[in-house]
Amino acid sequence: EGLLGEILVTRGQAAEALPLLESTVSTMEEVRGSDHWRTAHIRVTLGQCLIDLGRPDEARRQLVAARAVLAANYPEDHARVVRADGQLARID
């Protein structure tokens, strides 16, 4: 579901991607925990999707949480942290 959601977001199909990404984040939190980098990675995509759908407040919550996890696991210049920052910059 997560990969399909990422593909749909990339294709500009955020509305179709949203339920898949929300489900994936929920599953990842149950399986790996909310502080795992893989959970944070998909949370960034969910944030991107929410931005695309015009829901910046929800997106910010997802992205801030994801960035904190990613920054705790990677250096500031790592691609995953930079991606989170890039999505946050779309809101701020």
Side-chain angles (χ1 to χ4, degrees), residues 2 5 22 34 53 63 77 85-86:
E22 289 175 329
S34 59
L53 291 171
L63 292 165
D77 61 349
D85 288 341

Side-chain angles (χ1 to χ4, degrees), residues 22-63:
E22 289 175 329
S23 174
T24 301
V25 167
S26 179
T27 299
M28 292 296 289
E29 286 177 335
E30 290 175 22
V31 173
R32 297 196 183 259
S34 59
D35 60 345
H36 194 277
W37 73 266
R38 287 184 189 264
T39 305
H41 172 79
I42 198 70
R43 193 180 295 278
V44 171
T45 305
L46 175 57
Q48 177 182 352
C49 181
L50 289 164
I51 292 168
D52 292 348
L53 291 171
R55 295 162 62 175
D57 293 337
E58 294 171 75
R60 183 178 288 106
R61 283 191 295 275
Q62 295 295 330
L63 292 165

Side-chain angles (χ1 to χ4, degrees), residues 6-18:
E6 289 186 58
I7 291 167
L8 289 170
V9 168
T10 301
R11 290 178 149 186
Q13 297 172 277
E16 294 92 332
L18 183 61

